[in-house]
Amino acid sequence: MNAKHLRESLRSSADPLIAEHSQRFFKTGKGEYGEGDRFLGIRVPVLRQHARQHRNIPIKQLLQLLRSGYHEERLCALLIMVLKYQSGSDEERETIFQHYLNNTRYINNWDLVDSSAYHIVGVHLENRDRRILHNLAGSESLWERRIAIISTLHFIKKQQYEDTLRISRQLLDDTHDLIHKAVGWMLREVGNRDLSVEQTFLHEHYQSMPRTMLRYAIEKFLQKQRKAYLNGQI
């Protein structure tokens, strides 16, 4: 198996109608966050099937695929990188981690980040220095900032919340809606495991948080409590 065979397989699954819908859904118009991205038109479950079938593609060829102008080729490359990371040796995992961080310019939409960041970056940093996440959170790149917060989902699953909360504070003044949603989502995930931790954070910051961030964070609260937060009555 090689990247050429995978590209041919992906094109055999392409659907122009799905591609047209994806162009709109992922905001590819001028001035939008996905400006200029191109789509083949392949649903994610089908991409996952292709990834499993082509998981033995060498990492150098995967990096070529990751730098493709087609969204689904980049996503498929990332899905294979996740599979390789999960089954790899320590040396292979370190290589994949470094390649991931060296190619963030191509991990340039929210689904690409969300399907890979915590599986690779989060897992890799579980027992390592996590300062790189705080550096990413301060990046000018929207996608590196999203990688930073989404990577902490792995820590949340381990009941480790400090990095999520610290990066959430770092991103409170972020101007992009996709960061507001990501931070709110991660705070909600914290609350799903320890509500008191989330509420302590919210009591300190809810009045200054972007509205979308707050709405995502309190999505599973009781209606009366949601209204109290939204009306500033906590």
Side-chain angles (χ1 to χ4, degrees):
M1 290 292 182
N2 56 39
K4 180 181 178 181
H5 292 145
L6 177 52
R7 281 193 166 105
E8 291 172 351
S9 295
L10 290 175
R11 278 158 179 73
S12 72
S13 299
D15 184 325
L17 291 178
I18 295 175
E20 183 179 354
H21 173 267
S22 296
Q23 294 281 151
R24 297 191 300 271
F25 183 74
F26 287 102
K27 307 296 184 185
T28 62
K30 186 173 178 57
E32 295 181 309
Y33 62 74
E35 180 177 353
D37 206 354
R38 294 183 291 167
F39 289 80
L40 295 168
I42 308 171
R43 301 290 189 196
V44 172
V46 178
L47 284 173
R48 291 191 181 278
Q49 291 176 4
H50 283 290
R52 289 191 293 269
Q53 293 166 2
H54 295 82
R55 63 186 300 163
N56 293 325
I57 291 177
I59 188 66
K60 287 185 177 180
Q61 293 189 32
L62 273 184
L63 293 177
Q64 295 174 14
L65 202 67
L66 182 59
R67 295 161 186 164
S68 168
Y70 285 101
H71 187 101
E72 292 94 342
E73 291 188 348
R74 300 197 305 282
L75 179 52
C76 197
L78 289 166
L79 293 174
I80 296 174
M81 287 175 72
V82 169
L83 292 174
K84 283 182 172 294
Y85 186 91
Q86 291 171 341
S87 63
S89 65
D90 289 345
E91 183 179 357
E92 289 167 336
R93 289 183 170 199
E94 179 65 30
T95 297
I96 291 169
F97 172 74
Q98 293 298 336
H99 281 311
Y100 189 95
L101 292 183
N102 290 337
N103 287 276
T104 55
R105 69 178 70 88
Y106 305 107
I107 309 171
N108 57 354
N109 215 308
W110 58 264
D111 63 320
L112 304 180
V113 173
D114 297 358
S115 62
S116 61
Y118 77 93
H119 291 294
I120 295 176
V121 180
V123 173
H124 200 76
L125 295 179
E126 181 178 344
N127 298 309
R128 293 178 173 86
D129 190 334
R130 300 175 186 178
R131 281 178 291 182
I132 190 169
L133 292 182
H134 304 281
N135 293 337
L136 290 171
S139 171
E140 293 183 0
S141 164
L142 161 64
W143 308 116
E144 289 189 346
R145 300 198 305 276
R146 188 163 175 117
I147 287 169
I149 187 63
I150 296 299
S151 292
T152 70
L153 180 56
H154 177 73
F155 311 148
I156 295 171
K157 291 175 181 284
K158 299 290 184 176
Q159 287 79 51
Q160 300 172 18
Y161 310 126
E162 181 180 348
D163 290 282
T164 302
L165 300 178
R166 186 184 301 175
I167 292 172
S168 294
R169 290 188 187 95
Q170 195 173 345
L171 295 173
L172 281 173
D173 296 326
D174 201 284
T175 59
H176 205 288
D177 183 69
L178 287 176
I179 298 300
H180 301 168
K181 292 176 179 178
V183 172
W185 171 22
M186 291 302 102
L187 291 173
R188 186 174 73 240
E189 291 291 339
V190 170
N192 287 343
R193 292 159 178 83
D194 192 328
L195 186 58
S196 66
V197 173
E198 182 189 8
Q199 288 180 323
T200 297
F201 182 92
L202 291 177
H203 287 176
E204 182 179 355
H205 299 291
Y206 82 96
Q207 290 182 316
S208 60
M209 290 170 67
R211 203 69 163 175
T212 297
M213 187 184 295
L214 178 59
R215 287 185 182 277
Y216 269 62
I218 63 175
E219 186 177 280
K220 293 188 177 180
F221 286 15
L222 296 175
Q223 184 178 5
K224 182 178 180 180
Q225 195 173 21
R226 290 201 306 272
K227 285 185 177 180
Y229 274 104
L230 294 170
N231 294 331
Q233 297 173 345
I234 295 297

